[in-house]
Each structure stands twice: as structure tokens, then as C-alpha cells.
């Protein structure tokens, strides 16, 4: 194995000698496995190793030639090889396996539930086409099914699939009336880049849907808890060339269990005003993402929708030129009405992204987000979201010009200025007039991360003057800013300096 220098060579090696490295591994690797020293790991039980190997297999899943990298652990030592060969769950997901080795790998899965990708091979051969044949004859073993192209095998999938949990199609697949025998009781998630039928008993228990084409009056939509309309989606209802907001609201009204909604503008939009007298009440809806793009009329949704409590609201536009202040006002009013969580005190400004968090922690999900919208003033939010004034503001710098955001906001107690790149970005602070009030009058902590102070003779004195205008010392945190102790000394006169 050490002579194999690249994944391409490894692919060729496996394809040329499938029997040698799979069907007859002892003849090729016996001496290597005997000589390998695994004494350092013999104390771990096989169950732990199976868990470790399953994590490794999952990490490589979906990557180019992932199988080749994953199989490498089977040739480290005999103990590892025996563990992997005795655990069929490690051999149930096939991501472009070497064609000549596919049957042997499939055999190792034994009776475990399978993840199959049908139609993913550009050229069907006897070494790979058996996946389709097996799926047709044994759908009871399929846990996840991905259909990568429309082929004759789709019309042959007419037997029930009792274990099927997830279905994905990447093309406009035409499902036959008796698809899966009309029975897939565990099918909960469907991602469909084509269309789904109006009547389909195999979709009865569906709870999560991402789609391009859909019948909004389909009865099987009633159990959905998660719905994502892909960009440019279409309603397949009879006689509908355009979708109006009334139709969308009526469809949502028939999804009483909905918790998560992602909405793009449909392919054709009817901007006729909605005349509903009562709002659609979705008691469980907690998470809403709306991509307005350039369709301002979609804000009507928030004028005719009622929820019991919103946890996350995200709105996006193609650019700030498509943002109507009235839309922002409607979104903020909706959020202020139905948001029941704790106060939002952390705001992040990153170009045209404005995100509001309950707390500032790595990986924390924001409660309110505007993408493609970089407000120049904080004043409107002070009126629209009076109880959510930011105490912490994070600004990510890019290589272009930068100016202070919302300097008039007296609620901000901590300001974080960080580089938007993996390398330092020049810190640029504006000069403050002698009689002018300092920005962020309540500031107590200034955190600077991965910033460049070059030329130091200019920028360090400017930072010192910028901080000195305050009545009390602030805490200044310098993280990866490339400053020496001599550089920092003048700053200690006006701030409590912490270096990281």
C-alpha cells in the first residue's frame, strides 16, 4: 500500500485487482496484517472500534472516492480487518465504490438496512447494475433511497418498502401510480428536485419535504413539520400559471403541524392583494426563513400569519437595492409580536448581514437575521425592537473601506472588531472631533482580533485617542494583532489591556 501515491492510482489498483484485495485478502495482505503491530489498541473492545470506524465512514461519506480512503483501515492489521468485516452496518452506504469490487462490498452488508443510490453510474455494467436489480427485488432492505436519474428501474419499484425513511431525487422523476406498492410507512423525509404526485399513499406519513414542483392541495401535506420550497418552485394545481399569496396561505393552513418553513418566490407570482379577514394560525411554527429576492409582495405572508412563539426569523434579499423599509418594519413588528424568548443583546454586522443573537457564543443560532441588507442607521430598530437593544456588537472587517456601525447606540457595552479573512485586515478608526461625543458612549470593552496596525506610528496613537475620550478606562482585548509589549505600553495609560 505504501507504493500507492495517490487516490487515482489507488482507484486503478482496486479496479484491476478486486479479487486480490477483496475476495482473497489473505493472499495479498496476510503478511502485512501479521506484521502490523496493534498491541497499543488491543485493550478496546470490538464495539468501540466499530463505533470509531462508523464515525470515520460517516466523515468520508459523500466525498470523492470516499470508499477508497475508508477501506484503508481494513489493511492496518488483522484485528481491525476482522472487526470491520464482522460489522455489516459499516458496509451499507455505497458512494461510488470501485465497480469491480461493488458486489463483494455489498455482500459484506449482509441483512443490514441499505443506503442506495440508483442511477449514479454514468455507464451501467454488470458490476454496478445489480444495485438497481436488487432494489427492485428487495426494497424491504432500503433505509435511504437516492434516485440520481430517471430510468426504467423507477417503474419497477412496485413492492412495499417498510424500512424506507428518506427519499431523494435529483431529476424530475416520474413516479408510477403503484410506486413502492403504495406502502412506505416509515418514509418521513423527501427531497425532490422534480415533482410529486397529487395522490400518493406512500407519502401518507411524510413530515419533511423539500421540493421544486408540488400540488399545494395534496392531502399528504397535512402531516408536514418541515417544508422548504426550492428556488423557482411551481404549484402544479390545475389552471395555475401564477401562485398568489392566498393560495400559499391556504396551503399552510392545511399544515397545522408545521414547525419549520423555508420559502422562496415561486416561478410565477400573482401579486394580487390578499383579502383574508382572519390570519392563518400555525401554533407550532417556530422557524421561518423567507428569501424575498426581488419579490416585495411576499411580505404579505407576515401580515396574515399568526404563531404562538417564533424562535428564528430570517429574511434575505439579492442585494440591499431590493430592500423596502416597509418590509423591514413588517418583519420587525411580526418578530416583536411573537418572539417570546430572552432579550437579544448580541448583534453581528458583517457586510450586508445583520444578525441578532440571544447570546454571543460560537455556533449560537441567531434569532433574527437580515441577509443582503446592511442598515446604515440603528434608529429604526430602536423603535421597532425597543426591548432588544444590543449590548454587544460584532463587526467583521474586509479589505475595503470601513466605518463604524451605529456609533450613536448607547446600549452597546462591548464592541468586537475582527478580520473577515484568515489573515489580518488593517484597522481603520475615524478621528473624533474635540467637541464630538465618542462613539458607543456606554462602551466598556473593546475586542480587536486579527487586525493589522501598520503603520503603527499612525494607528496606535489613533486608537489611544479613540479610547481616551471616555470617562473611565475600558478593557482592551488584543488577540493576534501582532503588537509587541513596547507597542502596547501607550495603550495601558487609557485602557486595561489584555493580550491573547
Amino acid at each position: 500500500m505504501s507504493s500507492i501515491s495517490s487516490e487515482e492510482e489507488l482507484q486503478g489498483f482496486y479496479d484491476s485487482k478486486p479479487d486480490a484485495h477483496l475476495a482473497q485478502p489473505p493472499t495479498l495482505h496476510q503478511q502485512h496484517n501479521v506484521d502490523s503491530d496493534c498491541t497499543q489498541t488491543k485493550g478496546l473492545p470490538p464495539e468501540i472500534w466499530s463505533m470509531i470506524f462508523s464515525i470515520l465512514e460517516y466523515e468520508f461519506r459523500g466525498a470523492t472516492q470516499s470508499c477508497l480512503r475508508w477501506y484503508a483501515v481494513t489493511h492496518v492489521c488483522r484485528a481491525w480487518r476482522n472487526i470491520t468485516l464482522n460489522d455489516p452496518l459499516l458496509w451499507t452506504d455505497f458512494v461510488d465504490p470501485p465497480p469491480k469490487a461493488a458486489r463483494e462490498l455489498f455482500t459484506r452488508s449482509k441483512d443490514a438496512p441499505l443506503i442506495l443510490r440508483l442511477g449514479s453510474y454514468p455507464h451501467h455494467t454488470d458490476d454496478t447494475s445489480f444495485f438497481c436489480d436488487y432494489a427492485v427485488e428487495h426494497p424491504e432492505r432500503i433505509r435511504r433511497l437516492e434516485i440520481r436519474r430517471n430510468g426504467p428501474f423507477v417503474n419497477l419499484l412496485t413492492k412495499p418498502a417498510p424500512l424506507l425513511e428518506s427519499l431523494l431525487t435529483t431529476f424530475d422523476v416520474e413516479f408510477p401510480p403503484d410506486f413502492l406498492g403504495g406502502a412506505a410507512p416509515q418514509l418521513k423525509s423527501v427531497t425532490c428536485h422534480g415533482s410529486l404526485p397529487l395522490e400518493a399513499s406512500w407519502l401518507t406519513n411524510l413530515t419533511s419535504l423539500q421540493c421544486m414542483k408540488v400540488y399545494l392541495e395534496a392531502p399528504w401535506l397535512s402531516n408536514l413539520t418541515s417544508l422548504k420550497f426550492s428556488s423557482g418552485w411551481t404549484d402544479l394545481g390545475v389552471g395555475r400559471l401564477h401562485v398568489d399569496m392566498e393560495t400559499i396561505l391556504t396551503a399552510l393552513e392545511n399544515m397545522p403541524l408545521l414547525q419549520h418553513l423555508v420559502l422562496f418566490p415561486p416561478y410565477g407570482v400573482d401579486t394580487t392583494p390578499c383579502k383574508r379577514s382572519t390570519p392563518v394560525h400555525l401554533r407550532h411554527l417556530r422557524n421561518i426563513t423567507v428569501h424575498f429576492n426581488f419579490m416585495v409582495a411576499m411580505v404579505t405572508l407576515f401580515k396574515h400569519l399568526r404563531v404562538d412563539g417564533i424562535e428564528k426569523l430570517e429574511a434575505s434579499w439579492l442585494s440591499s437595492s431590493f430592500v423596502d423599509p416597509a418590509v423591514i418594519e413588517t418583519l420587525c413588528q411580526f418578530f416583536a409580536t411573537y418572539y417570546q424568548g430572552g432579550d437579544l443583546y448580541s448583534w453581528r454586522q458583517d457586510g450586508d448581514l445583520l444578525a441578532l443573537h440571544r447570546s454571543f457564543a460560537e455556533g449560537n443560532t441567531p434569532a433574527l437575521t437580515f441577509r443582503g441588507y446592511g442598515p446604515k442607521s440603528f434608529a429604526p430598530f430602536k423603535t421597532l425592537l425597543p426591548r432588544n437593544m444590543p449590548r454587544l456588537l460584532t463587526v467583521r472587517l474586509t479589505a475595503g473601506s470601513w466605518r463604524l456601525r451605529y456609533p450613536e447606540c448607547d446600549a452597546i457595552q462591548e464592541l468586537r472588531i475582527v478580520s473577515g479573512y484568515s489573515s489580518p485586515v488593517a484597522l481603520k478608526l475615524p478621528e473624533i472631533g474635540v467637541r464630538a461625543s465618542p462613539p458607543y458612549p456606554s462602551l466598556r470593552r473593546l475586542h480587536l482580533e486579527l487586525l493589522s496596525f501598520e503603520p503603527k506610528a499612525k494607528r496606535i496613537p489613533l486608537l489611544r485617542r479613540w479610547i481616551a475620550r471616555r470617562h473611565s478606562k475600558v478593557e482592551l482585548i488584543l488577540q493576534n494583532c501582532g503588537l509587541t509589549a513596547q507597542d502596547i505600553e501607550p495603550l495601558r495609560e487609557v485602557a486595561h489591556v489584555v493580550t491573547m
Side-chain angles (χ1 to χ4, degrees):
M1 292 295 291
S2 60
S3 63
I4 307 301
S5 60
S6 68
E7 290 183 0
E8 290 77 10
E9 293 173 346
L10 191 58
Q11 172 77 60
F13 176 78
Y14 281 171
D15 282 349
S16 64
K17 300 183 178 182
D19 294 334
H21 88 284
L22 288 172
Q24 300 176 359
T27 62
L28 187 63
H29 296 291
Q30 183 176 22
Q31 189 60 45
H32 170 76
N33 291 340
V34 168
D35 293 339
S36 296
D37 183 6
C38 291
T39 56
Q40 298 287 339
T41 60
K42 285 183 177 179
L44 291 177
E47 295 80 7
I48 299 299
W49 278 117
S50 287
M51 184 180 301
I52 294 172
F53 294 149
S54 68
I55 295 174
L56 179 65
E57 185 270 341
Y58 178 82
E59 288 295 321
F60 286 148
R61 185 181 301 170
T64 302
Q65 299 176 342
S66 61
C67 285
L68 303 183
R69 286 182 282 180
W70 145 239
Y71 297 157
V73 302
T74 67
H75 305 302
V76 172
C77 66
R78 179 172 294 178
W80 284 18
R81 183 171 183 81
N82 289 337
I83 291 172
T84 58
L85 294 181
N86 290 328
D87 188 349
L89 293 177
L90 294 174
W91 308 98
T92 58
D93 186 7
F94 301 93
V95 183
D96 297 331
K100 294 183 180 180
R103 288 181 180 272
E104 174 62 26
L105 301 178
F106 182 79
T107 301
R108 295 179 182 181
S109 68
K110 298 180 181 179
D111 295 325
L114 300 173
I115 298 176
L116 290 184
R117 294 162 175 82
L118 304 186
S120 60
Y121 298 95
H123 304 290
H124 265 320
T125 66
D126 291 339
D127 297 305
T128 57
S129 62
F130 79 91
F131 282 120
C132 296
D133 298 336
Y134 191 90
V136 169
E137 292 299 322
H138 301 280
E140 73 279 357
R141 281 193 63 190
I142 304 176
R143 177 166 60 89
R144 175 175 175 176
L145 178 61
E146 297 184 9
I147 301 177
R148 297 291 181 174
R149 65 181 176 87
N150 205 349
F153 53 82
V154 177
N155 292 320
L156 300 176
L157 293 169
T158 57
K159 294 182 180 180
L163 298 183
L164 184 64
E165 299 175 358
S166 174
L167 172 67
L168 179 147
T169 68
T170 57
F171 290 88
D172 194 354
V173 175
E174 296 183 9
F175 295 99
D178 57 347
F179 184 66
L180 300 181
Q186 300 300 320
L187 182 58
K188 304 294 184 182
S189 175
V190 169
T191 299
C192 183
H193 293 268
S195 57
L196 293 171
L198 175 62
E199 301 287 344
S201 57
W202 52 277
L203 293 171
T204 300
N205 297 318
L206 189 67
T207 59
S208 176
L209 173 65
Q210 178 179 344
C211 63
M212 280 289 294
K213 302 176 182 178
V214 65
Y215 290 94
L216 288 179
E217 67 269 29
W220 45 263
L221 293 171
S222 60
N223 290 325
L224 290 184
T225 59
S226 177
L227 174 61
K228 179 178 180 179
F229 288 112
S230 300
S231 179
W233 63 277
T234 303
D235 176 21
L236 298 176
V238 178
R240 292 182 191 148
L241 297 178
H242 298 84
V243 184
D244 57 20
M245 192 53 63
E246 174 63 32
T247 301
I248 296 176
L249 287 167
T250 299
L252 294 177
E253 193 171 29
N254 293 326
M255 305 176 198
L257 304 179
L258 199 63
Q259 301 175 19
H260 180 201
L261 173 65
V262 178
L263 182 62
F264 281 85
Y267 176 73
V269 182
D270 184 348
T271 57
T272 302
C274 182
K275 298 181 180 179
R276 276 183 168 264
S277 58
T278 57
V280 174
H281 188 186
L282 296 177
R283 300 179 181 276
H284 303 284
L285 188 58
R286 297 288 185 270
N287 190 323
I288 304 175
T289 299
V290 176
H291 300 274
F292 286 90
N293 293 348
F294 55 86
M295 292 304 304
V296 177
M298 290 182 61
V299 77
T300 303
L301 171 72
F302 296 92
K303 297 179 179 179
H304 297 277
L305 182 63
R306 177 185 170 191
V307 298
D308 286 358
I310 193 74
E311 295 177 358
K312 178 185 176 184
L313 174 60
E314 180 175 335
S316 70
W317 295 265
L318 294 177
S319 71
S320 57
S321 60
F322 293 109
V323 182
D324 186 334
V327 173
I328 296 295
E329 181 177 353
T330 300
L331 294 172
C332 288
Q333 288 176 345
F334 179 88
F335 184 83
T337 301
Y338 298 113
Y339 177 68
Q340 307 297 329
D343 292 353
L344 306 179
Y345 67 86
S346 173
W347 291 51
R348 174 176 292 186
Q349 176 72 52
D350 186 357
D352 280 341
L353 167 69
L354 180 63
L356 294 74
H357 300 251
R358 283 184 293 275
S359 62
F360 189 86
E362 197 66 34
N364 186 38
T365 302
L368 180 60
T369 302
F370 298 115
R371 296 183 183 274
Y373 170 65
K376 297 179 180 180
S377 172
F378 192 81
F381 294 100
K382 195 169 185 178
T383 302
L384 298 171
L385 302 171
R387 75 181 183 94
N388 290 309
M389 291 299 95
R391 281 169 275 171
L392 187 157
L393 173 64
T394 298
V395 180
R396 292 190 177 274
L397 298 187
T398 60
S401 61
W402 175 79
R403 60 183 179 80
L404 291 176
R405 294 282 187 174
Y406 326 127
E408 76 284 359
C409 184
D410 58 4
I412 295 175
Q413 299 178 10
E414 179 174 350
L415 175 63
R416 296 190 180 190
I417 306 176
V418 302
S419 170
Y421 302 104
S422 57
S423 57
V425 173
L427 174 66
K428 298 179 181 179
L429 291 173
E431 290 280 3
I432 305 176
V434 177
R435 297 182 180 181
S437 300
Y440 314 113
S442 300
L443 189 67
R444 300 188 179 191
R445 177 181 295 170
L446 176 61
H447 189 139
L448 306 178
E449 181 178 347
L450 201 59
L451 302 179
S452 171
F453 281 79
E454 298 294 341
K456 296 180 181 179
K458 176 182 177 182
R459 291 206 166 103
I460 292 179
L462 177 58
L463 175 61
R464 185 184 184 284
R465 291 195 299 271
W466 199 84
I467 296 175
R469 291 293 308 280
R470 304 178 183 281
H471 298 296
S472 59
K473 282 188 175 182
V474 301
E475 181 181 15
L476 175 61
I477 300 176
L478 300 171
Q479 183 174 353
N480 297 327
C481 290
L483 295 180
T484 66
Q486 184 177 358
D487 296 330
I488 296 173
E489 193 59 34
L491 298 174
R492 295 190 185 278
E493 300 175 7
V494 295
H496 300 289
V497 181
V498 178
T499 58
M500 302 176 65

